[in-house]
Amino acid sequence: METELTARAAGLIACHGCDRLYVAAEVGDEGGRCGYCGQPLYSRSPQSLERSAAWLLAALILYLPANLYPMMWTTSLGRMQANTILEGVVVLMQGGSYGIAVVVFVASVLIPIFKFLVLGYLLLSIVRAQPTALSERLRLYRWVEVVGRWSMLDVFVVAILAAMVQFSSVAAVQPGIAVDAFAAVVICTMLSAQALDSRLIFDPCSSSTDWSR
Amino acid sequence: MRRIATPPSELLNHLIACRHCDLLQQRQPLRRGEWAQCSRCGAALYQRGDRHHHALPILLAALLFWLIALQLPFLALAGRAGMESEMDLFATVGVLWDQGYLLLALGVALTLLLLPLLRVVGLIYVLTAQRYRFRLPYWKPIWHLTEAVIPWTMHEIYLLGALVAMVKLTTIGDLAVGGAMWAFAAFIGLEVWAESLLNHEVLWRRS
């Protein structure tokens, strides 16, 4: 095999469950199930772009309350203070915990923004059938896949702090509304990345790329 | 009701398409310790699978540690002015529930406790089924469920979150790490090890 051929271009469908290859023409238009593992057969994730874009849009909308509303309420000697994600990072830095501040900043600010930019770029590049930067775009996608879940870090941090620090008005930590919104942002971006079939990057622009299948 | 597709021909069994870039490639025999890599994007294609059967005992040990981690305390704080508190893994869910964040409490319960458990138990079931020549019911849907759940198991992220929280808590007082922390870390370590030995192709090519 000297030439670079995708399974789709060769008229084959790979089962996503067990990697077996089927001849697309024999599977037929209404689809079929893999005879070995029982999973439905499809060449590309159905409605991949539509679903991915929808989840990304939902994440973008939720990103506003996630950053504008407080993530954590800290009560110290009777005084209550609300902290958004960014304010929480600043507080950490003021407290001298630079390392932890960087970790939280990366997980809660940089990674979500990175995901928004990359997923948006990937979606646009596939729709415009961009024939260049194939490997680079796949690498970006893989990064998003690997790194995306780690944004949940701050949600767990707030939950653990709240579980440990409950001394009424002397010192208390309570989760804020933003925790809900932020968790939803992470979930939506994960679903967006999951819905996007990275193999679409490699489908040549001139072939019959049927977006509905 | 979708019909079962025609079984692939012998020729197609020698080919594999990369899951990430769809490049069609020829399967090559592997030597010990080798794994096949996509020649275009470097993604893992398949391994030898000769250590696949080691995964089951490791997963059973992992499950044991998980059960231990649930019984023991996770963190304990001895602060100034009598501020003392202790938490176990359930408390993370409990405090969110008590504060009224019901949906979030459920989300944390799933990602931290239930889904990792489901994955490990599901894997144990399928691997056991494999030992009994696949005579256990529903092993195929359980396998697919247990695979689908992978990105949603966030227990290792929780551990990192605990470390970050610990740094913040040490400013309040003396912090003690409970047995649950170590048991949880052992659970994660064993599970990662077992996953590296698993080879799903062994399931499909022998069933």
Side-chain angles (χ1 to χ4, degrees):
Chain A
M1 286 244 168
E2 246 60 298
T3 52
E4 286 202 343
L5 202 64
T6 62
R8 185 183 175 92
L12 299 172
I13 296 179
C15 173
H16 68 267
C18 66
D19 288 334
R20 273 198 164 74
L21 290 164
Y22 288 86
V23 178
E26 285 172 18
V27 172
D29 269 333
E30 75 276 7
R33 278 187 180 270
C34 177
Y36 291 85
C37 70
Q39 289 293 286
L41 292 171
Y42 44 76
S43 175
R44 297 285 177 265
S45 288
Q47 283 109 37
S48 168
L49 296 177
E50 292 90 325
R51 288 185 299 129
S52 182
W55 284 118
L56 189 61
L57 189 63
L60 280 165
I61 293 171
L62 287 161
Y63 197 57
L64 287 165
N67 277 293
L68 295 175
Y69 284 99
M71 190 80 166
M72 199 162 70
W73 292 88
T74 338
T75 309
S76 189
L77 296 168
R79 234 183 77 245
M80 241 191 168
Q81 192 189 11
N83 278 329
T84 65
I85 296 176
L86 279 172
E87 286 168 358
V89 174
V90 169
V91 165
L92 279 170
M93 299 209 78
Q94 287 173 340
S97 319
Y98 296 112
I100 297 296
V102 168
V103 170
V104 175
F105 182 72
V106 167
S108 305
V109 180
L110 286 186
I111 290 181
I113 292 179
F114 172 72
K115 290 180 79 172
F116 287 140
L117 293 174
V118 170
L119 287 170
Y121 166 58
L122 288 176
L123 283 168
L124 283 173
S125 73
I126 291 172
V127 165
R128 283 161 42 209
Q130 181 182 329
T132 53
L134 301 176
S135 301
E136 288 80 359
R137 280 186 285 155
L138 181 63
R139 209 174 311 137
L140 280 174
Y141 176 79
R142 296 282 305 206
W143 273 103
V144 167
E145 262 197 322
V146 164
V147 124
R149 322 156 50 225
W150 290 88
S151 292
M152 271 302 200
L153 184 75
D154 217 11
V155 174
F156 291 131
V157 170
V158 171
I160 293 172
L161 286 176
M164 287 295 283
V165 187
Q166 291 293 343
F167 307 113
S168 41
S169 44
V170 178
V173 170
Q174 273 127 16
I177 298 264
V179 181
D180 253 346
F182 189 72
V185 169
V186 178
I187 290 171
C188 285
T189 51
M190 283 178 69
L191 288 169
S192 174
Q194 243 187 343
L196 185 59
D197 194 331
S198 62
R199 299 171 297 187
L200 288 166
I201 298 172
F202 294 89
D203 287 338
C205 37
S206 53
S207 87
S208 56
T209 337
D210 190 79
W211 303 125
S212 65
R213 257 221 291 151
Chain B
M1 193 64 188
R2 290 158 145 180
R3 59 179 180 83
I4 307 277
T6 321
S9 68
E10 245 327 287
L11 183 65
L12 289 179
N13 275 348
H14 293 299
L15 299 176
I16 186 164
C18 174
R19 286 189 181 209
H20 291 97
C21 72
D22 208 25
L23 183 67
L24 207 54
Q25 293 158 86
Q26 219 170 357
R27 287 178 179 271
Q28 313 267 349
L30 296 170
R31 284 194 293 243
R32 293 196 94 200
E34 286 184 336
W35 52 279
Q37 215 180 8
C38 173
S39 54
R40 174 155 67 182
C41 70
L45 290 176
Y46 58 95
Q47 337 175 54
R48 261 172 68 110
D50 49 357
R51 290 191 302 158
H52 171 85
H53 58 280
H54 288 316
L56 184 56
I58 297 172
L59 285 168
L60 286 166
L63 183 62
L64 186 68
F65 276 108
W66 190 88
L67 291 169
I68 292 174
L70 251 59
Q71 317 279 355
L72 298 176
F74 193 63
L75 284 174
L77 182 70
R80 302 174 283 267
M83 292 191 294
E84 281 179 11
S85 76
E86 196 183 76
M87 70 171 273
D88 59 5
L89 286 171
F90 290 112
T92 321
V93 180
V95 72
L96 290 171
W97 185 271
D98 291 336
Q99 298 276 338
Y101 293 95
L102 306 184
L103 214 60
L104 193 63
L106 240 82
V108 172
L110 278 171
T111 57
L112 173 65
L113 300 170
L114 300 172
L115 295 181
L117 179 69
L118 180 68
R119 170 132 183 94
V120 172
V121 167
L123 280 176
I124 289 173
Y125 184 84
V126 172
L127 291 173
T128 311
Q130 190 188 352
R131 287 219 169 177
Y132 289 99
R133 300 181 196 283
F134 297 107
R135 287 208 202 109
L136 288 179
Y138 298 116
W139 73 267
K140 278 185 190 176
I142 286 176
W143 166 259
H144 292 302
L145 180 65
T146 217
E147 285 280 284
V149 137
I150 294 174
W152 303 100
T153 58
M154 301 185 182
H155 45 300
E156 68 273 29
I157 305 174
Y158 180 85
L159 202 60
L160 185 63
L163 292 175
V164 172
M166 279 165 66
V167 170
K168 284 184 124 173
L169 286 169
T170 48
T171 61
I172 299 182
D174 293 322
L175 201 60
V177 168
M181 180 87 70
W182 305 113
F184 203 57
F187 164 69
I188 292 172
L190 287 170
E191 198 219 326
V192 167
W193 185 21
E195 299 239 11
S196 72
L197 299 175
L198 271 179
N199 186 355
H200 69 275
E201 294 202 332
V202 173
L203 294 173
W204 307 123
R205 281 166 194 265
R206 283 190 205 157
S207 62

Short mmCIF file of all heavy atoms in Angstrom, two decimals, chain A residues 90-133:
data_model
loop_
_atom_site.label_atom_id
_atom_site.label_comp_id
_atom_site.label_asym_id
_atom_site.label_seq_id
_atom_site.Cartn_x
_atom_site.Cartn_y
_atom_site.Cartn_z
N VAL A 90 -6.33 35.04 41.83
CA VAL A 90 -5.63 36.22 42.37
C VAL A 90 -5.39 36.04 43.86
O VAL A 90 -4.30 36.32 44.37
CB VAL A 90 -6.46 37.49 42.08
CG1 VAL A 90 -5.90 38.66 42.85
CG2 VAL A 90 -6.47 37.78 40.59
N VAL A 91 -6.42 35.54 44.57
CA VAL A 91 -6.30 35.33 46.01
C VAL A 91 -5.16 34.36 46.30
O VAL A 91 -4.37 34.55 47.23
CB VAL A 91 -7.63 34.81 46.59
CG1 VAL A 91 -7.42 34.23 47.98
CG2 VAL A 91 -8.65 35.92 46.63
N LEU A 92 -5.08 33.29 45.50
CA LEU A 92 -4.01 32.30 45.69
C LEU A 92 -2.65 32.95 45.51
O LEU A 92 -1.71 32.68 46.27
CB LEU A 92 -4.17 31.15 44.70
CG LEU A 92 -5.18 30.07 45.07
CD1 LEU A 92 -5.40 29.13 43.90
CD2 LEU A 92 -4.71 29.28 46.27
N MET A 93 -2.53 33.81 44.49
CA MET A 93 -1.25 34.44 44.24
C MET A 93 -0.89 35.41 45.36
O MET A 93 0.25 35.47 45.80
CB MET A 93 -1.29 35.18 42.90
CG MET A 93 -1.56 34.27 41.74
SD MET A 93 -0.82 34.85 40.21
CE MET A 93 0.85 34.36 40.45
N GLN A 94 -1.90 36.14 45.84
CA GLN A 94 -1.64 37.06 46.95
C GLN A 94 -1.21 36.30 48.19
O GLN A 94 -0.43 36.81 48.99
CB GLN A 94 -2.91 37.87 47.26
CG GLN A 94 -3.21 38.93 46.22
CD GLN A 94 -4.55 39.59 46.46
OE1 GLN A 94 -5.41 39.05 47.15
NE2 GLN A 94 -4.73 40.77 45.87
N GLY A 95 -1.76 35.06 48.31
CA GLY A 95 -1.40 34.25 49.48
C GLY A 95 -0.03 33.61 49.34
O GLY A 95 0.46 32.97 50.26
N GLY A 96 0.59 33.75 48.18
CA GLY A 96 1.92 33.21 47.99
C GLY A 96 1.96 31.83 47.36
O GLY A 96 3.03 31.29 47.09
N SER A 97 0.80 31.21 47.13
CA SER A 97 0.79 29.87 46.53
C SER A 97 0.81 30.00 45.01
O SER A 97 -0.19 29.82 44.34
CB SER A 97 -0.45 29.09 46.95
OG SER A 97 -0.75 29.28 48.29
N TYR A 98 1.96 30.37 44.48
CA TYR A 98 2.06 30.64 43.05
C TYR A 98 1.85 29.38 42.22
O TYR A 98 1.17 29.40 41.20
CB TYR A 98 3.42 31.27 42.72
CG TYR A 98 3.61 32.62 43.36
CD1 TYR A 98 4.55 32.80 44.36
CD2 TYR A 98 2.83 33.69 42.97
CE1 TYR A 98 4.71 34.03 44.95
CE2 TYR A 98 3.00 34.93 43.56
CZ TYR A 98 3.93 35.10 44.56
OH TYR A 98 4.09 36.32 45.15
N GLY A 99 2.45 28.30 42.66
CA GLY A 99 2.32 27.04 41.92
C GLY A 99 0.87 26.62 41.76
O GLY A 99 0.40 26.30 40.67
N ILE A 100 0.14 26.63 42.88
CA ILE A 100 -1.26 26.22 42.85
C ILE A 100 -2.08 27.19 42.03
O ILE A 100 -2.98 26.81 41.29
CB ILE A 100 -1.81 26.13 44.29
CG1 ILE A 100 -1.07 25.05 45.06
CG2 ILE A 100 -3.29 25.84 44.28
CD1 ILE A 100 -1.28 23.66 44.51
N ALA A 101 -1.74 28.49 42.13
CA ALA A 101 -2.47 29.50 41.36
C ALA A 101 -2.33 29.22 39.88
O ALA A 101 -3.30 29.34 39.11
CB ALA A 101 -1.95 30.89 41.70
N VAL A 102 -1.13 28.82 39.47
CA VAL A 102 -0.90 28.51 38.05
C VAL A 102 -1.73 27.29 37.64
O VAL A 102 -2.36 27.28 36.58
CB VAL A 102 0.60 28.25 37.79
CG1 VAL A 102 0.82 27.65 36.42
CG2 VAL A 102 1.39 29.54 37.93
N VAL A 103 -1.73 26.26 38.50
CA VAL A 103 -2.50 25.05 38.19
C VAL A 103 -3.98 25.38 37.99
O VAL A 103 -4.60 24.97 37.02
CB VAL A 103 -2.32 24.00 39.32
CG1 VAL A 103 -3.30 22.85 39.13
CG2 VAL A 103 -0.90 23.47 39.35
N VAL A 104 -4.53 26.16 38.93
CA VAL A 104 -5.95 26.50 38.85
C VAL A 104 -6.21 27.39 37.63
O VAL A 104 -7.20 27.22 36.92
CB VAL A 104 -6.42 27.20 40.14
CG1 VAL A 104 -7.86 27.65 40.00
CG2 VAL A 104 -6.29 26.26 41.32
N PHE A 105 -5.29 28.32 37.37
CA PHE A 105 -5.46 29.21 36.22
C PHE A 105 -5.47 28.41 34.93
O PHE A 105 -6.30 28.63 34.05
CB PHE A 105 -4.35 30.26 36.21
CG PHE A 105 -4.47 31.25 35.09
CD1 PHE A 105 -5.46 32.22 35.11
CD2 PHE A 105 -3.61 31.19 34.00
CE1 PHE A 105 -5.59 33.13 34.06
CE2 PHE A 105 -3.72 32.09 32.94
CZ PHE A 105 -4.72 33.07 32.98
N VAL A 106 -4.54 27.49 34.81
CA VAL A 106 -4.46 26.67 33.60
C VAL A 106 -5.73 25.84 33.44
O VAL A 106 -6.36 25.83 32.39
CB VAL A 106 -3.21 25.76 33.63
CG1 VAL A 106 -3.29 24.70 32.55
CG2 VAL A 106 -1.95 26.57 33.48
N ALA A 107 -6.13 25.18 34.52
CA ALA A 107 -7.28 24.26 34.44
C ALA A 107 -8.59 25.01 34.21
O ALA A 107 -9.46 24.55 33.48
CB ALA A 107 -7.37 23.42 35.70
N SER A 108 -8.75 26.17 34.85
CA SER A 108 -10.06 26.83 34.83
C SER A 108 -10.18 27.95 33.83
O SER A 108 -11.29 28.37 33.51
CB SER A 108 -10.37 27.39 36.22
OG SER A 108 -10.28 26.36 37.16
N VAL A 109 -9.06 28.49 33.34
CA VAL A 109 -9.14 29.60 32.40
C VAL A 109 -8.52 29.22 31.06
O VAL A 109 -9.17 29.29 30.02
CB VAL A 109 -8.43 30.85 32.98
CG1 VAL A 109 -8.53 31.99 31.99
CG2 VAL A 109 -9.04 31.24 34.31
N LEU A 110 -7.28 28.78 31.09
CA LEU A 110 -6.58 28.52 29.83
C LEU A 110 -7.17 27.34 29.06
O LEU A 110 -7.42 27.44 27.87
CB LEU A 110 -5.09 28.27 30.09
CG LEU A 110 -4.24 29.49 30.44
CD1 LEU A 110 -2.78 29.10 30.52
CD2 LEU A 110 -4.44 30.59 29.41
N ILE A 111 -7.41 26.22 29.77
CA ILE A 111 -7.90 25.04 29.07
C ILE A 111 -9.27 25.27 28.43
O ILE A 111 -9.46 24.96 27.25
CB ILE A 111 -7.91 23.80 29.99
CG1 ILE A 111 -6.47 23.37 30.28
CG2 ILE A 111 -8.67 22.65 29.35
CD1 ILE A 111 -6.35 22.14 31.15
N PRO A 112 -10.24 25.84 29.13
CA PRO A 112 -11.53 26.09 28.46
C PRO A 112 -11.39 27.01 27.25
O PRO A 112 -11.99 26.74 26.20
CB PRO A 112 -12.36 26.76 29.56
CG PRO A 112 -11.78 26.29 30.83
CD PRO A 112 -10.32 26.16 30.58
N ILE A 113 -10.59 28.08 27.38
CA ILE A 113 -10.42 28.99 26.24
C ILE A 113 -9.74 28.26 25.09
O ILE A 113 -10.14 28.40 23.92
CB ILE A 113 -9.61 30.23 26.66
CG1 ILE A 113 -10.42 31.08 27.63
CG2 ILE A 113 -9.20 31.06 25.45
CD1 ILE A 113 -9.71 32.31 28.13
N PHE A 114 -8.74 27.47 25.42
CA PHE A 114 -8.05 26.66 24.41
C PHE A 114 -9.04 25.77 23.67
O PHE A 114 -9.04 25.67 22.44
CB PHE A 114 -6.96 25.84 25.11
CG PHE A 114 -6.29 24.81 24.24
CD1 PHE A 114 -5.41 25.19 23.25
CD2 PHE A 114 -6.54 23.45 24.41
CE1 PHE A 114 -4.79 24.24 22.44
CE2 PHE A 114 -5.92 22.49 23.62
CZ PHE A 114 -5.04 22.89 22.63
N LYS A 115 -9.93 25.11 24.43
CA LYS A 115 -10.90 24.21 23.82
C LYS A 115 -11.85 24.97 22.91
O LYS A 115 -12.17 24.52 21.80
CB LYS A 115 -11.70 23.47 24.89
CG LYS A 115 -10.86 22.45 25.63
CD LYS A 115 -11.66 21.73 26.69
CE LYS A 115 -12.53 20.65 26.08
NZ LYS A 115 -13.17 19.84 27.14
N PHE A 116 -12.31 26.13 23.36
CA PHE A 116 -13.22 26.93 22.53
C PHE A 116 -12.55 27.27 21.20
O PHE A 116 -13.13 27.08 20.13
CB PHE A 116 -13.60 28.24 23.23
CG PHE A 116 -14.55 28.06 24.37
CD1 PHE A 116 -14.38 28.79 25.54
CD2 PHE A 116 -15.61 27.19 24.28
CE1 PHE A 116 -15.27 28.63 26.60
CE2 PHE A 116 -16.49 27.01 25.34
CZ PHE A 116 -16.31 27.75 26.50
N LEU A 117 -11.33 27.77 21.28
CA LEU A 117 -10.64 28.21 20.08
C LEU A 117 -10.37 27.04 19.14
O LEU A 117 -10.62 27.12 17.94
CB LEU A 117 -9.32 28.90 20.46
CG LEU A 117 -9.46 30.22 21.19
CD1 LEU A 117 -8.09 30.72 21.65
CD2 LEU A 117 -10.13 31.26 20.29
N VAL A 118 -9.86 25.94 19.72
CA VAL A 118 -9.49 24.81 18.87
C VAL A 118 -10.72 24.17 18.23
O VAL A 118 -10.74 23.92 17.03
CB VAL A 118 -8.69 23.75 19.66
CG1 VAL A 118 -8.53 22.48 18.85
CG2 VAL A 118 -7.33 24.30 20.04
N LEU A 119 -11.75 23.91 19.03
CA LEU A 119 -12.95 23.28 18.48
C LEU A 119 -13.60 24.18 17.43
O LEU A 119 -14.05 23.71 16.38
CB LEU A 119 -13.94 22.93 19.60
CG LEU A 119 -13.54 21.75 20.47
CD1 LEU A 119 -14.43 21.64 21.69
CD2 LEU A 119 -13.59 20.45 19.68
N GLY A 120 -13.65 25.47 17.72
CA GLY A 120 -14.21 26.39 16.74
C GLY A 120 -13.42 26.36 15.44
O GLY A 120 -14.00 26.27 14.34
N TYR A 121 -12.10 26.40 15.57
CA TYR A 121 -11.24 26.37 14.39
C TYR A 121 -11.42 25.06 13.62
O TYR A 121 -11.54 25.05 12.39
CB TYR A 121 -9.78 26.55 14.82
CG TYR A 121 -8.77 26.20 13.76
CD1 TYR A 121 -8.77 26.83 12.52
CD2 TYR A 121 -7.82 25.20 13.98
CE1 TYR A 121 -7.84 26.50 11.54
CE2 TYR A 121 -6.89 24.86 13.01
CZ TYR A 121 -6.90 25.50 11.80
OH TYR A 121 -5.98 25.17 10.83
N LEU A 122 -11.46 23.94 14.35
CA LEU A 122 -11.60 22.64 13.68
C LEU A 122 -12.92 22.56 12.92
O LEU A 122 -12.98 22.11 11.77
CB LEU A 122 -11.50 21.50 14.69
CG LEU A 122 -10.12 21.23 15.27
CD1 LEU A 122 -10.20 20.15 16.33
CD2 LEU A 122 -9.14 20.83 14.18
N LEU A 123 -13.99 23.00 13.57
CA LEU A 123 -15.29 22.95 12.91
C LEU A 123 -15.28 23.78 11.63
O LEU A 123 -15.73 23.32 10.57
CB LEU A 123 -16.38 23.47 13.86
CG LEU A 123 -16.82 22.49 14.95
CD1 LEU A 123 -17.68 23.20 15.98
CD2 LEU A 123 -17.60 21.33 14.35
N LEU A 124 -14.76 25.00 11.73
CA LEU A 124 -14.72 25.87 10.55
C LEU A 124 -13.85 25.25 9.46
O LEU A 124 -14.21 25.26 8.28
CB LEU A 124 -14.18 27.25 10.94
CG LEU A 124 -15.17 28.17 11.65
CD1 LEU A 124 -14.46 29.43 12.14
CD2 LEU A 124 -16.31 28.55 10.71
N SER A 125 -12.71 24.70 9.86
CA SER A 125 -11.79 24.17 8.85
C SER A 125 -12.37 22.97 8.14
O SER A 125 -12.11 22.75 6.96
CB SER A 125 -10.45 23.80 9.51
OG SER A 125 -10.59 22.62 10.27
N ILE A 126 -13.18 22.19 8.84
CA ILE A 126 -13.81 21.03 8.20
C ILE A 126 -14.92 21.47 7.27
O ILE A 126 -15.07 20.98 6.15
CB ILE A 126 -14.34 20.03 9.25
CG1 ILE A 126 -13.17 19.38 9.98
CG2 ILE A 126 -15.19 18.95 8.60
CD1 ILE A 126 -13.58 18.53 11.15
N VAL A 127 -15.71 22.42 7.71
CA VAL A 127 -16.81 22.91 6.89
C VAL A 127 -16.27 23.53 5.60
O VAL A 127 -16.83 23.35 4.52
CB VAL A 127 -17.67 23.94 7.67
CG1 VAL A 127 -18.58 24.70 6.74
CG2 VAL A 127 -18.48 23.22 8.73
N ARG A 128 -15.17 24.27 5.74
CA ARG A 128 -14.57 24.89 4.55
C ARG A 128 -13.71 23.91 3.77
O ARG A 128 -13.05 24.27 2.82
CB ARG A 128 -13.74 26.10 4.98
CG ARG A 128 -14.60 27.31 5.31
CD ARG A 128 -13.88 28.34 6.15
NE ARG A 128 -12.51 28.54 5.69
CZ ARG A 128 -11.53 28.92 6.50
NH1 ARG A 128 -11.77 29.12 7.78
NH2 ARG A 128 -10.31 29.11 6.04
N ALA A 129 -13.68 22.64 4.23
CA ALA A 129 -12.92 21.58 3.55
C ALA A 129 -11.47 21.98 3.35
O ALA A 129 -10.90 21.78 2.27
CB ALA A 129 -13.59 21.21 2.22
N GLN A 130 -10.86 22.53 4.38
CA GLN A 130 -9.47 22.95 4.30
C GLN A 130 -8.57 21.73 4.05
O GLN A 130 -8.58 20.78 4.81
CB GLN A 130 -9.09 23.62 5.62
CG GLN A 130 -7.68 24.14 5.67
CD GLN A 130 -7.36 24.75 7.03
OE1 GLN A 130 -8.27 25.29 7.68
NE2 GLN A 130 -6.13 24.65 7.46
N PRO A 131 -7.78 21.76 2.96
CA PRO A 131 -6.96 20.58 2.65
C PRO A 131 -5.59 20.59 3.30
O PRO A 131 -4.82 19.64 3.13
CB PRO A 131 -6.83 20.66 1.12
CG PRO A 131 -6.89 22.13 0.83
CD PRO A 131 -7.69 22.80 1.93
N THR A 132 -5.27 21.64 4.05
CA THR A 132 -3.93 21.75 4.61
C THR A 132 -3.92 21.53 6.11
O THR A 132 -4.97 21.46 6.75
CB THR A 132 -3.36 23.17 4.34
OG1 THR A 132 -4.30 24.13 4.83
CG2 THR A 132 -3.14 23.39 2.85
N ALA A 133 -2.70 21.45 6.65
CA ALA A 133 -2.50 21.31 8.10
C ALA A 133 -3.28 20.13 8.68
O ALA A 133 -3.87 20.23 9.74
CB ALA A 133 -2.88 22.60 8.82
#
